[in-house]
Amino acid sequence: MEGDRMEVGNLKQNPNNLVNVHVEVHVKSQSTAKQSDVRTHVMALLNRHSMVFGNYKWSEFDEDFLSKHVASVAIVDSERQPMDLKNCSLSIYIFTLNDDGPSMLSLEEEEELSAANHWLLPAAEFHGIWESLVYENGVKKQLLDYVSTTLFFSDKNVDSNLIAWNRVVLLHGPPGTGKTSLCKALSQKLSIRLSNRYSYGQFVEINSHSLFSKWFSESGKLVTKMFQKIQQLIDDKEALVFVLIDEVESLTAARTASQAGTEPSDAIRVVNSVLTQLDQIKRHPNVVILTTSNVTEKIDLAFVDRADIKQYIGPPSEQGIYNIYLSCLEELMKCQIVYPRQQLFTVFELETMGFAESEVSVHSLVLWRLALKSKGLSGRVLRKLPFLAHALFVKTPIVTLESFLEAMDQAVDKQMEEKKDMVNCV
Ligand code: ADP
């Protein structure tokens, strides 16, 4: 996997003040086509369709080369506005996906460490996550810009004693808001964007929870071993290494329990060992440490201080909920489970129409009211809702949009009831 010639950090540079357009070219894994040929054909395609309106994806082509070698060409992460590609600066990223799936990080011949999973990036499993996550106010773009700048500064050896910055990101907020997914998506995105600088990406996921499972807390030595393995990955300067530490609050919990004497002091040794090791690996310019936490107050202060980029991730707004539902319904119509296909408007289109009731907008408005009613549900619950609606409230395998929306409405009521019960239990 290689990218177009572009220096790290050029993501934001734009010498002629032209709009910078990012084009991701997904080459089929069995293809043996040369990069330069792919590029020529993609340029020709873009020339043929020079006017686009924001993001756009081609997955079917009217010429043989692209049909044979390329799975998709996508204009990504752009503003929703008409763009004349002839007057834009194009950044073309050409990549193939690794479809090996996760592997466990093996420590010794016969010993596999279940506390860490490991992927080669860009990974087939992470494909599409970035697009599926819906957040407000350019959260995704901001994070991407932050981490890109961080890597740019590292690459240029900026002295972090003079300008304070580091490569530790903390995403915090309620459970099910997509924090882990966002870490994966961000890593995938960066491995594609920076493919000219690093020839591949590594993603190591450490689950703090399993780190403190009984077996593991027996010895801090395993932490050291695990980080030695990570260090080996980092030693390849061609690799961009992402280390995700999920649910860092487990570290704090272990520390507090240890201080209270309810947990062996081993636990605190493990926590300290993790923190020391993190400090070691974060010195390397090709490392990004991503952490998530479901609570903010409880996170170990030692941890919060280490993170430069702290981002709160909350449940989606009404607009966000509408977009999530819309993508679910589009999928169900594509699979012909909701049939026949009906037009649903985007929030933007509804707003432009002033939410006016008409024959064409009727289903979209029902969906909008459903979104309003679903406020407070997490992204995880929202993405599960269409499944629950079908399983519990639809009587036939194939269903009209109108009936499906009614079923969704019932499913939302059920979720809200459950949420209330949960609160009452606490
Ligand atoms: P967390 O780490 O915050 O607990 P996860 O990353 O495990 O959350 O999210 C679980 C699932 O919920 C994701 O796979 C995703 O499908 C869905 N999800 C959560 N938040 C969102 C969101 N804002 N937009 C779209 N999907 C979301």
Side-chain angles (χ1 to χ4, degrees):
M1 187 228 16
E2 287 170 56
D4 208 38
R5 270 292 125 209
M6 201 181 68
E7 251 194 276
V8 91
N10 258 12
L11 313 178
K12 289 193 292 179
Q13 282 176 13
N14 201 340
N16 303 321
N17 267 340
L18 297 173
V19 174
N20 199 6
V21 174
H22 300 284
V23 184
E24 293 181 356
V25 181
H26 172 193
V27 173
K28 293 180 181 170
S29 35
Q30 73 277 16
S31 164
T32 49
K34 274 201 274 168
Q35 275 253 324
S36 50
D37 292 340
V38 173
R39 190 187 150 81
T40 310
H41 285 267
V42 168
M43 287 303 285
L45 172 82
L46 297 176
N47 269 329
R48 286 198 296 279
H49 302 80
S50 72
M51 280 306 289
V52 289
F53 186 78
N55 291 350
Y56 192 80
K57 185 170 180 174
W58 291 267
S59 43
E60 281 174 14
F61 306 99
D62 48 14
E63 61 121 312
D64 289 345
F65 182 92
L66 290 176
S67 304
K68 186 165 174 223
H69 297 285
V70 172
S72 65
V73 175
I75 293 176
V76 294
D77 306 311
S78 57
E79 302 284 322
R80 195 187 346 227
Q81 60 182 26
M83 294 180 298
D84 180 358
L85 296 181
K86 289 201 179 62
N87 291 324
C88 293
S89 122
L90 297 178
S91 300
I92 300 179
Y93 315 102
I94 300 173
F95 67 95
T96 51
L97 292 175
N98 293 293
D99 33 25
D100 294 343
S103 58
M104 281 177 187
L105 211 62
S106 57
L107 294 180
E108 271 163 11
E109 302 281 291
E110 71 294 352
E111 193 181 19
E112 298 239 302
L113 178 64
S114 62
N117 271 322
H118 169 227
W119 284 264
L120 265 186
L121 299 180
E125 221 173 296
F126 295 0
H127 196 54
I129 301 183
W130 181 264
E131 291 73 23
S132 77
L133 292 169
V134 180
Y135 294 108
E136 274 64 58
N137 308 327
V139 165
K140 289 196 292 184
K141 186 177 179 306
Q142 208 176 43
L143 266 177
L144 184 60
D145 285 347
Y146 263 137
V147 185
S148 309
T149 301
T150 298
L151 285 165
F152 181 51
F153 273 38
S154 316
D155 207 45
K156 295 287 179 196
N157 286 322
V158 174
D159 186 343
S160 59
N161 291 319
L162 300 177
I163 297 172
W165 58 277
N166 66 39
R167 276 177 298 272
V168 184
V169 179
L170 169 68
L171 302 184
H172 61 98
T177 47
K179 297 179 294 298
T180 313
S181 311
L182 187 54
C183 289
K184 290 180 174 167
L186 188 64
S187 310
Q188 174 96 335
K189 190 98 220 163
L190 284 159
S191 74
I192 292 172
R193 288 271 173 107
L194 302 178
S195 55
N196 62 304
R197 174 65 188 79
Y198 300 97
S199 26
Y200 64 105
Q202 298 272 12
F203 186 88
V204 182
E205 178 181 38
I206 302 171
N207 188 287
S208 315
H209 230 64
S210 12
L211 210 72
F212 291 105
S213 70
K214 198 174 172 301
W215 168 76
F216 204 68
S217 64
E218 278 166 21
S219 160
K221 262 195 220 137
L222 286 166
V223 173
T224 318
K225 266 195 197 172
M226 180 171 66
F227 276 94
Q228 272 166 1
K229 274 279 161 188
I230 295 173
Q231 183 64 51
Q232 282 171 13
L233 303 179
I234 297 169
D235 285 343
D236 181 358
K237 295 300 165 212
E238 282 298 297
L240 179 56
V241 183
F242 298 92
V243 179
L244 165 66
I245 306 182
D246 232 348
E247 301 173 19
V248 284
E249 65 271 20
S250 317
L251 296 183
T252 331
R255 216 209 261 262
T256 323
S258 163
Q259 276 157 357
T262 51
E263 186 96 3
S265 55
D266 249 2
I268 198 157
R269 226 171 296 141
V270 175
V271 177
N272 288 341
S273 165
V274 169
L275 293 175
T276 318
Q277 299 288 341
L278 277 181
D279 286 341
Q280 294 282 346
I281 63 165
K282 78 175 195 198
R283 295 207 188 112
H284 299 271
N286 56 333
V287 177
V288 179
I289 296 164
L290 304 160
T291 60
T292 73
S293 174
N294 288 334
V295 282
T296 306
E297 325 83 64
K298 256 201 285 171
I299 315 174
D300 205 316
L301 257 188
F303 226 104
V304 178
D305 286 349
R306 276 169 174 82
D308 218 20
I309 302 164
K310 304 179 191 90
Q311 176 73 52
Y312 172 78
I313 307 283
S317 67
E318 288 97 338
Q319 278 91 344
I321 297 173
Y322 185 91
N323 284 334
I324 293 174
Y325 282 163
L326 190 61
S327 67
C328 295
L329 289 169
E330 289 294 344
E331 180 67 14
L332 288 173
M333 289 198 278
K334 193 177 111 202
C335 300
Q336 302 195 339
I337 291 173
V338 171
Y339 189 83
R341 174 173 278 284
Q342 307 254 12
Q343 188 184 16
L344 284 170
F345 293 112
T346 60
V347 181
F348 177 72
E349 286 164 339
L350 278 180
E351 278 169 355
T352 317
M353 292 188 265
F355 293 88
E357 189 101 36
S358 74
E359 218 174 285
V360 284
S361 68
V362 58
H363 295 311
S364 309
L365 288 173
V366 172
L367 188 62
W368 175 246
R369 284 192 284 272
L370 205 62
L372 297 181
K373 193 170 155 177
S374 311
K375 189 85 204 284
L377 296 178
S378 75
R380 179 184 285 145
V381 172
L382 295 170
R383 284 242 177 260
K384 229 184 286 173
L385 219 116
F387 173 81
L388 293 177
H390 193 284
L392 302 178
F393 303 110
V394 171
K395 302 285 170 267
T396 51
I398 295 168
V399 58
T400 61
L401 179 61
E402 196 177 4
S403 307
F404 193 73
L405 287 170
E406 280 170 25
M408 292 258 294
D409 193 68
Q410 287 172 278
V412 173
D413 286 342
K414 188 167 187 301
Q415 282 302 319
M416 288 300 186
E417 280 299 317
E418 282 174 17
K419 204 171 165 214
K420 237 192 278 164
D421 291 346
M422 291 278 281
V423 174
N424 291 340
C425 281
V426 173

